[in-house]
Amino acid sequence: MSMDMTTVGDTGLLDTLQHEVALFARRAEQTRLGGVGQVRNSMDRAAYLLLNRLDKEGPMGVKALAASMGIDSSTVTRQVAPLVDTGLVKRTSHPEDGRAVVLQLSPRGQSRLDEVRSSRRQLMAELTHDWAPEEREAFCSLLTRFNSALSSRMVTTGGAAGEQPAS
């Protein structure tokens, strides 16, 4: 959907928005929003998102995992290999089709994911400690909405969809 940006509103506000999003992306990547303490920066974004998706949706095949994350199967295969090697993900044969692979979070992967989530949760608490609860809720709602719009746009334009928002 093409949109004339002059009809959207204040271009100064849009300039500020795009600049703040760019700063956020850079700072998030620099810190990986990894959390605090010893867990800080200890899990890359791809690993975190894959483990999180397997935790929320349960065991699944590579194609299903790729589809749920909006990325291609070869990317999932490449990203999951080190997780299997380190014992965070178990790879088994599909019970009905022995040629197909099923990926699932291992107990070690669950423990590691819980540790990273806790650390990241603590970081979010520290970064927003002086925010009112309704400000945190509004920020979460707007960020989720922004990510959904970005994902939808990437799907409709044929670009890499990136990660779908967590449900």
Side-chain angles (χ1 to χ4, degrees):
M1 174 176 155
S2 179
M3 191 176 294
D4 178 3
M5 294 309 288
T6 60
T7 63
V8 172
D10 182 6
T11 58
L13 180 62
L14 295 174
D15 285 345
T16 299
L17 178 60
Q18 68 79 24
H19 178 76
E20 291 300 324
V21 168
L23 281 175
F24 172 78
R26 182 177 66 199
R27 289 184 178 135
E29 191 58 34
Q30 286 171 338
T31 65
R32 294 186 185 162
L33 288 180
V36 295
Q38 291 181 335
V39 180
R40 188 176 186 276
N41 291 334
S42 63
M43 183 179 287
D44 71 38
R45 181 190 51 189
Y48 177 77
L49 292 169
L50 283 166
L51 295 177
N52 195 55
R53 186 65 60 157
L54 288 171
D55 182 47
K56 291 195 179 296
E57 295 184 19
M60 67 180 74
V62 171
K63 286 183 181 180
L65 182 57
S68 77
M69 295 183 70
I71 56 180
D72 63 69
S73 295
S74 64
T75 300
V76 167
T77 299
R78 181 177 40 81
Q79 291 177 348
V80 84
L83 301 176
V84 171
D85 291 344
T86 57
L88 300 178
V89 170
K90 292 192 298 188
R91 186 184 329 215
T92 59
S93 295
H94 192 283
E96 297 168 10
D97 179 1
R99 298 169 297 165
V101 171
V102 175
L103 302 169
Q104 74 179 69
L105 200 56
S106 71
R108 181 173 183 219
Q110 183 69 61
S111 174
R112 186 76 183 100
L113 180 60
D114 291 346
E115 179 183 42
V116 170
R117 276 185 184 151
S118 176
S119 177
R120 289 180 177 196
R121 196 175 304 116
Q122 185 178 346
L123 176 63
M124 294 300 108
E126 287 178 14
L127 293 174
T128 63
H129 77 277
D130 59 346
W131 295 19
E134 51 276 0
E135 289 175 311
R136 285 180 177 173
E137 288 176 24
F139 183 71
C140 286
S141 177
L142 291 170
L143 189 56
T144 299
R145 185 175 170 190
F146 184 83
N147 280 329
S148 293
L150 189 56
S151 287
S152 294
R153 184 179 194 290
M154 297 307 287
V155 168
T156 60
T157 60
E163 312 323 330
Q164 299 295 321
S167 38

